[in-house]
Amino acid sequence: MELKGFIERTAPLRILGVKITQDGSLTAEHFWDEECRRNLYSASKSVTSCAVGFAVQEGLVALDEKLVDAFAEDLPEQVSPQLEHAVVRDLLTMCLGQESGSLMGAQRPLYQEDDWAKLALAIPFVYEPGERFVYNNVGPYLAGLLVQRRAGCDLVSYLTPRLFRKLGIKRPTWESDPLGNTFGAGGLFLTLSELHRFGKFYLQMGKWAGQQLLSEQWVLESTSKQVENNRDEFGYGYLFWGGPHGSFRADGKYSQLSVILREKNAVISVVAECRRGKELQQAIWEELYPQL
């Protein structure tokens, strides 16, 4: 694959690295900076989705379980009908029922409350769950916390034997809350190559080195359009964004991306410090996609 046009076009966008795999082979890569582990920001959410998938197939978590049962010890004194109706699935679709985003990056250092489960569930649920897409870190945080509680360990320890070690990823760093729980909504640090392996794992429908690790049904369900979103027509799955040409992606702040293209049997992954993410994605679709 010819990268010259993409390299020239994205150089002003503070891109740091790109990798492209098609039909199981690395077809192109380029680095603007050394490859080191970087904060994936909200691309971490897709790894939390993966953890929920493992927990579901192991019988630790059920998507139709009510939050009032799953978090019975963390509920506010007054439980609204909307919170009463919310289930685990609603944690994964950004349609939880709260009015605005909480536990966001600029908010987390300022909270006086250390117990973020109690804090998150005390935020009013004003919409019926599933009714309205509101981008919010509460859902993925609580989803990751539930897996940790049921598994009896942090998310990194849970995923290491099931995912990270299988994909050749040494134990990574992942942000935690004030009580030491992994923050499933962000803060996972991986290299570009490690993020790309995660994308390949999803392209391969949960299979790695000939072994079916994660249920193919879960991969399909979590990367299919579950709800409409308020940003584009492609919708949102379980902590994965839909995209053009039937694609779906893990997507983090400043353009930490792993774009999975099933129809082309390809993955395009990028790490960046980009403040013009739409331009970078447009370059992917106009410079790289036509060559696949």
Side-chain angles (χ1 to χ4, degrees):
M1 178 179 285
E2 175 55 58
L3 288 184
K4 184 180 179 184
F6 181 77
I7 290 169
E8 291 175 352
R9 183 166 171 177
T10 56
L13 301 180
R14 300 176 70 183
I15 186 171
L16 301 173
V18 60
K19 272 183 175 281
I20 302 129
T21 290
Q22 187 171 31
D23 298 329
S25 298
L26 182 68
T27 58
E29 65 178 354
H30 185 81
F31 292 91
W32 288 256
D33 195 6
E34 62 183 357
E35 186 174 18
C36 61
R37 281 185 166 169
R38 301 180 186 277
N39 192 345
L40 298 186
Y41 297 97
S42 286
S44 313
K45 292 176 171 66
S46 300
V47 182
T48 296
S49 175
C50 182
V52 174
F54 280 114
V56 167
Q57 75 181 25
E58 292 170 8
L60 300 177
V61 172
L63 292 189
D64 58 359
E65 183 178 1
K66 288 192 169 187
L67 298 192
V68 292
D69 296 327
F71 295 95
E73 304 299 316
D74 307 297
L75 299 173
E77 286 187 17
Q78 296 294 323
V79 174
S80 68
Q82 292 89 341
L83 173 52
E84 183 74 45
H85 297 156
V87 297
V88 170
R89 180 181 285 103
D90 299 315
L91 301 176
L92 305 175
T93 61
M94 298 295 169
C95 294
L96 184 57
Q98 295 180 338
E99 195 167 21
S100 59
S102 300
L103 300 179
M104 310 307 278
Q107 299 169 339
R108 295 198 292 278
L110 305 180
Y111 290 127
Q112 297 302 306
E113 171 64 69
D114 286 345
D115 189 330
W116 287 359
K118 284 185 168 63
L119 181 155
L121 289 165
I123 297 166
F125 284 63
V126 298
Y127 306 120
E128 192 64 25
E131 178 183 316
R132 186 173 302 202
F133 184 94
V134 177
Y135 194 78
N136 189 355
N137 278 349
V138 166
Y141 167 71
L142 290 176
L145 181 62
L146 183 59
V147 173
Q148 292 170 81
R149 289 178 173 181
R150 297 283 168 83
C153 62
D154 63 79
L155 274 190
V156 177
S157 296
Y158 182 69
L159 284 173
T160 291
R162 293 164 176 81
L163 178 73
F164 295 140
R165 190 178 298 140
K166 302 284 189 182
L167 272 56
I169 297 173
K170 298 288 187 182
R171 183 181 174 91
T173 299
W174 199 331
E175 181 183 344
S176 60
D177 71 11
L179 300 182
N181 304 296
T182 306
F183 184 69
L188 173 62
F189 284 70
L190 294 179
T191 67
L192 171 59
S193 294
E194 290 167 340
L195 173 62
H196 192 64
R197 267 175 255 160
F198 177 72
K200 287 168 62 181
F201 176 64
Y202 266 73
L203 178 66
Q204 294 165 191
M205 303 300 294
K207 186 178 287 188
W208 196 263
Q211 185 180 4
Q212 191 73 45
L213 305 178
L214 182 60
S215 158
E216 183 174 319
Q217 179 183 345
W218 175 263
V219 173
L220 271 176
E221 187 176 336
S222 59
T223 58
S224 298
K225 184 178 183 176
Q226 296 293 332
V227 295
E228 300 289 344
N229 69 63
N230 52 18
R231 301 188 183 187
D232 55 46
E233 70 271 29
F234 303 114
Y236 197 76
Y238 295 156
L239 307 179
F240 281 90
W241 291 92
H245 307 291
S247 67
F248 57 92
R249 70 186 185 277
D251 186 330
K253 191 176 182 179
Y254 309 133
S255 296
Q256 323 313 315
L257 306 171
S258 191
V259 183
I260 294 96
L261 293 142
R262 283 207 187 99
E263 66 174 34
K264 298 290 188 179
N265 197 28
V267 181
I268 301 172
S269 300
V270 163
V271 293
E273 295 172 351
C274 178
R275 269 62 174 177
R276 290 146 61 187
K278 287 185 179 179
E279 291 181 46
L280 200 157
Q281 287 193 39
Q282 193 171 1
I284 290 173
W285 295 119
E286 294 179 3
E287 302 289 343
L288 300 180
Y289 179 79
Q291 298 187 61
L292 294 173

